[in-house]
Amino acid sequence: MKILISNDDGWDAPGISVMLEVASDFGDCTIVAPATEQSGISHQLTLTRPLELTRQSENVWSLDGTPADCVRIAITQWAKLTQSESPIDLVLSGINNGGNLGADIYVSGTVAAAREATLFGLPAIAISQHRARFSEAFDWTRTKEICAKVLKHCIESGLNKRDLLNVNLPDVSYFDSLPEIDIVDPCPLDPSPRPSTYEAEQNGNVTRLKFTGKYNDRTQTAGCDVETCFTKAVSITRLQPQAN
């Protein structure tokens, strides 16, 4: 199986290294990911300037564009990049440094990279690692173990053309040992918006608004992906496949 990996945190982010390590047990992997962090950029495409593609190592390229650009370039230029005529079978996006739950899917570059793949008729999985304590250093060791289990589940359950899965891994980094992790599949998307708390500072006719909302304070609708992930289970949300 030929696997394309991308993300929105950048080609050298720790999460994508973990994804490559895990995914390599399931197929031949190639990374095409943004040259710099592109978090929250959604499905933006770069159409008014040339894109620079840089080979970082044998199977790793960086692109000075968005996550959706990376997947589009990789899919349409696959043979030139890999010197192979074998088509891509699966696109993976992540592992994102932080959750992509509920309404996040509309702004997430991680999800957009996976969504772009489905527009070309490929199955895709976006995987994100929720972090309960974002200000602290994070150990990705347990993420690797959970991701391997989840990827095996997704592949063995069957992936059809244009399937789009949004996966969020719970933060279990502060447990003394790795607990047994449940996988909730399918898990509904939480319809609630993210926190919308702002601090306002008035300066004449101008008001400056600084976002101060906390990710972990968001609404948790019973049975949906936010609650599932926050209560230490994997949420797999099967988003609407793109039309043929």
Side-chain angles (χ1 to χ4, degrees):
M1 180 164 59
K2 298 290 185 180
I3 301 173
L4 169 66
I5 301 174
S6 194
N7 71 354
D8 72 359
D9 289 328
W11 69 273
D12 55 351
I16 203 170
S17 297
V18 175
M19 181 76 95
L20 176 61
E21 191 173 354
V22 172
S24 294
D25 289 336
F26 297 90
D28 297 326
C29 300
T30 297
I31 288 177
V32 181
T36 59
E37 183 180 349
Q38 300 289 309
S39 298
I41 204 165
S42 190
H43 209 121
Q44 179 177 321
L45 292 171
T46 304
L47 304 173
T48 58
R49 65 170 177 83
L51 291 164
E52 294 187 359
L53 185 66
T54 303
R55 188 170 188 170
Q56 300 291 347
S57 61
E58 182 178 359
N59 293 312
V60 179
W61 280 262
S62 65
L63 184 77
D64 68 335
T66 69
D69 286 329
C70 292
V71 172
R72 176 172 289 229
I73 290 293
I75 290 173
T76 61
Q77 305 300 314
W78 181 259
K80 296 177 185 178
L81 293 176
T82 63
Q83 290 79 52
S84 170
E85 295 183 358
S86 299
I88 298 170
D89 299 300
L90 174 65
V91 174
L92 303 175
S93 183
I95 301 168
N96 190 64
N97 183 27
N100 276 305
L101 295 155
D104 300 350
I105 66 166
Y106 301 107
V107 298
S108 168
T110 304
V111 176
R115 187 188 302 115
E116 180 70 14
T118 69
L119 298 177
F120 286 88
L122 297 172
I125 308 173
I127 303 181
S128 301
Q129 172 62 67
H130 169 58
R131 292 180 57 179
R133 302 169 182 174
F134 218 96
S135 61
E136 299 179 5
F138 191 77
D139 182 357
W140 290 86
T141 305
R142 291 178 178 176
T143 299
K144 176 185 172 183
E145 296 179 51
I146 300 172
C147 184
K149 176 180 178 180
V150 170
L151 198 54
K152 182 175 185 289
H153 166 87
C154 292
I155 291 173
E156 290 184 351
S157 66
L159 292 169
N160 298 315
K161 178 182 178 181
R162 301 182 189 274
D163 277 354
L164 178 56
L165 277 59
N166 185 44
V167 177
N168 280 274
L169 311 179
D171 185 350
V172 297
S173 61
Y174 42 85
F175 285 114
D176 291 335
S177 60
L178 184 65
E180 183 66 27
I181 301 297
D182 292 329
I183 298 176
V184 180
D185 178 17
C187 187
L189 200 69
D190 195 315
S192 306
R194 291 182 63 168
S196 54
T197 306
Y198 292 82
E199 286 184 355
E201 179 182 320
Q202 193 74 33
N203 184 7
N205 293 330
V206 177
T207 302
R208 297 183 64 193
L209 297 164
K210 180 181 179 181
F211 177 70
T212 57
K214 296 181 179 179
Y215 192 90
N216 293 317
D217 290 342
R218 65 193 300 165
T219 300
Q220 299 181 38
T221 303
C224 291
D225 62 341
V226 176
E227 182 194 55
T228 297
C229 185
F230 281 17
T231 52
K232 310 300 179 291
V234 174
S235 65
I236 300 181
T237 302
R238 295 179 178 265
L239 303 177
Q240 184 67 34
Q242 304 304 307
N244 291 325

